[in-house]
Amino acid sequence: MKFFVDTADTKEIRALAETGLLDGVTTNPTLIAKSGRNMLDVIAEICDVVPGPVSAEVAATEFAAIMREAAVLRRIARNVTIKVPLTPDGLRACKALTSDGAMVNVTLCFSAAQALLAAKAGATFVSPFVGRLDDIGHIGMELIGEIVPIFRNYPNLKTEVLVASVRSPLHVIDAARLGAHVATLPPAVLRGLFNHPLTEKGLAQFLADWAKTGQHIAEAQPAAAR
Ligand code: G3P
């Protein structure tokens, strides 16, 4: 399963990229607004740090305008993924863009029927929003449980299910159980995946026992050299 980070905070992205576990980045207009920076500068900086797909969302809603914005965004870097809304114009743009070799992430997906349309439009990724479904009393993860098997029925569909609006490590585990290709995680959720109290406790014990030996591995000499 691929891990993307869902943020436009380049400091966070740099730190998480150092873990070597980051496969891509997603942004949206809300996250760009939160960064307080120029969108093109932010996307260019992210694309420099992360070689994988970096989603940059269009703000236009009408086909010709989406295509104009996509042209600007595609010029930033080769790993820019154009993010379009799941609307008739968005899907028309998706088809045109993917036919022209661009990567496209279709966002704001809330039903299996919508996901199927995105796949038919040739989307590279479709983003079902699980957290926002949970927010209104639906079990968001059930949508992933519908979409993944539907896509598996049609091996010629290359669209990857990108689980978005992720709120907790549990969402990530459930998405992986269901076979989603990608999850995009807020930085705090991604960091949270590392944590387990028994890991911390076990490490503290190992370090305390090791200190008693008085040994230092980095300065140690093999028997032959002693
Ligand atoms: O970028 C799309 C999605 O991940 C947004 O998440 O938390 O605003 O519902 P959220």
Side-chain angles (χ1 to χ4, degrees):
M1 183 188 206
K2 285 177 261 191
F3 285 168
F4 290 2
V5 67
D6 196 29
T7 184
D9 180 338
T10 51
K11 214 172 132 211
E12 278 281 20
I13 292 167
R14 280 180 196 282
L16 289 168
E18 280 175 10
T19 66
L21 302 174
L22 200 57
D23 300 300
V25 177
T26 52
T27 66
N28 62 37
T30 305
L31 295 170
I32 296 287
K34 203 166 148 198
S35 78
R37 295 181 57 195
N38 173 281
M39 178 183 183
L40 299 198
D41 294 349
V42 177
I43 298 295
E45 193 179 329
I46 298 172
C47 288
D48 266 355
V49 177
V50 179
V54 174
S55 288
E57 187 161 344
V58 297
T61 55
E62 180 269 325
F63 173 74
I66 292 174
M67 295 302 288
R68 279 196 296 277
E69 290 190 357
V72 172
L73 297 172
R74 287 179 74 183
R75 277 198 290 274
I76 299 173
R78 48 155 293 284
N79 53 330
V80 165
T81 299
I82 307 301
K83 204 170 174 189
V84 300
L86 207 154
T87 60
D89 281 54
L91 292 186
R92 185 179 162 200
C94 173
K95 183 90 187 159
L97 288 164
T98 52
S99 303
D100 191 41
M103 289 189 287
V104 176
N105 177 0
V106 176
T107 190
L108 292 165
C109 173
F110 293 96
S111 77
Q114 288 180 320
L116 198 50
L117 286 176
K120 283 186 72 70
T124 317
F125 305 103
V126 62
S127 292
F129 277 31
V130 294
R132 292 194 194 184
L133 282 168
D134 290 351
D135 291 345
I136 60 158
H138 292 257
I139 299 170
M141 208 47 69
E142 285 182 356
L143 177 56
I144 307 304
E146 277 186 272
I147 298 172
V148 170
I150 289 173
F151 282 14
R152 276 207 206 108
N153 285 341
Y154 301 96
N156 61 326
L157 289 183
K158 298 293 176 231
T159 305
E160 297 193 7
V161 178
L162 192 169
V163 180
S165 190
V166 165
R167 303 277 164 78
S168 70
L170 204 54
H171 271 157
V172 183
I173 301 305
D174 285 342
R177 264 194 229 278
L178 293 166
H181 306 86
V182 193
T184 188
L185 318 180
V189 174
L190 187 40
R191 289 185 197 289
L193 298 183
F194 285 90
N195 298 336
H196 198 288
L198 289 180
T199 303
E200 282 158 40
K201 191 177 168 207
L203 183 60
Q205 183 68 60
F206 284 151
L207 294 180
D209 290 343
W210 180 248
K212 290 179 206 156
T213 72
Q215 297 181 52
H216 301 280
I217 296 172
E219 292 150 29
Q221 300 274 1
R226 266 186 257 139

